[in-house]
Amino acid sequence: MTAIGRLVSQHPRRLDYRASLRSVATAHGAAVQRVRLAYDRWQQAQLRSDSHWTDTAGRAA
C-alpha cells in the first residue's frame, strides 16, 4: 500500500494509480474488519470455554 501511495504522490494525474490505491485501501479495510470480527468471536469462545471449565472442573480443583 505504501508503494502505491508513493506512486500516487509522485504522479498525481495517473488515474490508474489512484484507482489501484483506492482498491488496495478498500481491500485492506475489509481485511482489518474480518480480522477484528474473527478475534471478537475467538475471544467470546474463550470466555465461554473458561466459564464452562469454571462451572465444572474448576470447582473440583
Side-chain angles (χ1 to χ4, degrees), residues 31-41:
V32 168
Q33 185 177 13
R34 287 191 307 271
V35 167
R36 287 182 180 157
L37 179 61
Y39 177 78
D40 289 344
R41 288 179 178 172

Side-chain angles (χ1 to χ4, degrees), residues 3 6 10-11 13 15 19 21 23-24 26 30 33-34 38-39 42-46 50-51 53-55 57-59:
R6 191 174 304 133
Q10 292 172 351
H11 307 282
R13 293 186 178 166
L15 296 179
L21 179 61
S23 174
V24 168
T26 301
Q33 185 177 13
R34 287 191 307 271
Y39 177 78
W42 172 82
Q43 190 174 34
Q44 290 171 359
Q46 288 298 112
D50 290 349
S51 175
W53 182 86
T54 302
D55 289 345
R59 286 195 191 141

